[in-house]
Amino acid sequence: MGLGPSIKMTTLHHFRCPVTAVLSREENLEFPGIIVDGVSEVCDDKIYTAKRVADIAEAMRADAAIVAIDGWGNHHVDFVNVIEQLGLRGIPSVGLSYVGLQGRLVCSNSYVDCVVDFNKSESGYESCVVGQNNLTDMDAVKAVALLKNKLKKAGKAVTSEDFGKNRTLRRLTRKAFQINEVRFGERTAISRGGILTIRKGIEKSIAVAEPRIQDIKVNIVQPGEHDFFVNSNLDYAPIACKVRGELGEGVTYLLSGVTVMLTGVEENSGFQPSNIGSSEGILKEQVVLDEAGTPGSTDILLHVDILFQEGEGRTAEGIMAGHRSADLIVQEIRKEMQSLDNLPYIREEYRDVAKPGKRKVILVKIVSGLGNMYDTAMFPYEPGGFLGAHNMMTSGNIPYVITPNQCRDGAIHSLL
């Protein structure tokens, strides 16, 4: 048991993280950062990483925590251990998890006393529809409200009293350029009117260079034209690039109105890469649009479909080759994005803020870290990308500490 299609936190979901958004809006709470903890395979490792999460939380002087996970079964062992270790250090927490009827906790302890179930299925069972049971803004709002109540009961009531001047630690500026049309042409370019042109055959040289991949197909899917078969979903991701600064600060350019959809299948056997359920089928039936981790209903999809060599859809190296291939395609678009200043855009600014005297609430993200197609890559070269990133599994699932702005700037890439 682990993670299935309906609850998966795609790269796009982390990029738009609902909990990060809600905590950042709380004027009377300080949101100092996020601890990213990978799910381990061995029980001793689960306990070890849970203790390290709690050590970090204590060092951050956290008053409370929200613990979010997109897996269940075996993964709830990590979830429960983290909540226990936080509690042992006097840090109350609220959990966010899929539960329903299928994902009830396989273990518990006295500190696991408040879990928000983000099951959305009437049946109470997980489905193979991507996004159907996504963690939403409303789930995050509930978790924050419950956490405030726990803080009050613990004698750490949230207050609006002004203890000093807020201080901006980091500033991230995002410029979103609307894409209205995507088409194939002789060269990759972005032109006035929001037209993105993709070079014909962009994928050919990439497929030849990847021995674990038999073929790659790139298609453009128009909004509402989803009545066709797709292979199992491997990820949804934004198209964004750094123009100035590192992830989490400086300036990022984002293409709005277009989303990358990565799918894949093995040749010969037709095996669909999956963890506990694959999501192949008619696209309109296999994805719930307009969720945090899925494209908008008006988005154009840049569909990258990977045909793996037989057996490679079941190896970590094969899955990474698929994500690497998709990112190399997007990288050609990113190069054209560097000179978009002459086109209209919508500007957004995000700040990581220190708030003297306010209660500090952190977010713990428990993410995939078992390898194969169930892994997470941290700190890619580009927002939401894969190139340059370090996998949780090969890092021993030792927790990462990231800022809220690094999360919303695509520091987490899901290999799902």
Side-chain angles (χ1 to χ4, degrees), residues 269-338:
S269 67
F271 175 82
Q272 299 281 344
S274 61
N275 185 40
I276 61 168
S278 55
S279 58
E280 77 278 2
I282 303 302
L283 180 58
K284 69 179 183 181
E285 300 172 357
Q286 294 303 124
V287 60
V288 176
L289 300 173
D290 299 311
E291 297 296 336
T294 63
S297 53
T298 60
D299 280 4
I300 301 167
L301 302 180
L302 179 59
H303 180 197
V304 180
D305 189 44
I306 306 293
L307 180 64
F308 294 101
Q309 296 278 3
E310 185 63 25
E312 293 299 341
R314 285 166 266 191
T315 68
E317 294 79 9
I319 294 299
M320 286 190 286
H323 283 259
R324 181 167 54 246
S325 298
D327 204 29
L328 285 168
I329 291 169
V330 175
Q331 189 64 17
E332 189 164 317
I333 301 171
R334 293 188 185 113
K335 290 178 181 178
E336 297 301 314
M337 293 171 63
Q338 294 289 332

